[in-house]
Amino acid sequence: MTTPTSMQRRWTKPVLTVVWIATSGVFTTLLLHPAVPETVRSFLVRPNRLLARTVEYTAHTAVFFIGTQFALVCLEAVTRRRRVAIIAAAAITAVAAEAAQTWVPTRGVDVFDAVCNLIGVGLAAVAYVKLFAPFTARGSASA
């Protein structure tokens, strides 16, 4: 495996940061938009409650997995303290996003949604530690 050059490292972080901010904005809009649950259910040919719930819970997990993963990579969670701070902020955001739906018409707070959000944050933390942290440590040591 080749190590990235300094030029590649210089442009990769800003690009990833812009993608992270844009993705987070889209995800936040989708989580708080009142029509999203009905739109998801309308895509299913025969609305099956179990299938609709599975799709919804998977989406919650994926949204927070991707958002947390981008945050860990873009904010360079190379130290344990920084990693814990980012994961804690993501976990607080996961619960707050669900609580914020109290004020959105046609949306409500669902404990299982909040649990799926937290599962997404946890999976992102594990994935980062297993996949990205060793590479980031090597990359920053050679910089």
Side-chain angles (χ1 to χ4, degrees), residues 96-107:
E98 195 57 37
Q101 292 180 19
T102 302
W103 297 284
V104 177
T106 72
R107 297 297 295 266

Side-chain angles (χ1 to χ4, degrees), residues 3-4 27 34 46 53 57 67 82 95-96 140:
T3 59
F27 286 160
R46 288 182 160 175
R53 284 300 201 184
Y57 293 150
R82 183 177 277 190
V95 174
S140 62

Side-chain angles (χ1 to χ4, degrees), residues 26-33 36 60 63-64 97 101 107 117:
V26 169
F27 286 160
T28 302
T29 304
L30 288 176
L31 282 173
L32 295 177
H33 195 280
V36 170
H60 276 272
V63 163
F64 279 91
Q101 292 180 19
R107 297 297 295 266
N117 295 350

Side-chain angles (χ1 to χ4, degrees), residues 4 11 54 70:
W11 69 264
T54 303
F70 270 132

Side-chain angles (χ1 to χ4, degrees), residues 68-139:
T68 305
Q69 196 62 253
F70 270 132
L72 288 166
V73 171
C74 293
L75 298 175
E76 294 180 353
V78 292
T79 64
R80 183 179 171 147
R81 177 178 280 187
R82 183 177 277 190
R83 199 166 33 248
V84 168
I86 293 168
I87 292 167
I92 290 168
T93 303
V95 174
E98 195 57 37
Q101 292 180 19
T102 302
W103 297 284
V104 177
T106 72
R107 297 297 295 266
V109 177
D110 185 1
V111 174
F112 293 116
D113 286 352
V115 169
C116 288
N117 295 350
L118 291 172
I119 288 172
V121 170
L123 289 174
V126 170
Y128 183 82
V129 168
K130 296 292 182 187
L131 299 174
F132 291 105
F135 175 74
T136 306
R138 273 186 266 139

Side-chain angles (χ1 to χ4, degrees), residues 35-51:
V36 170
E38 292 305 316
T39 305
V40 169
R41 289 185 187 101
S42 71
F43 279 121
L44 302 172
V45 179
R46 288 182 160 175
N48 178 341
R49 185 167 170 79
L50 179 62
L51 181 59

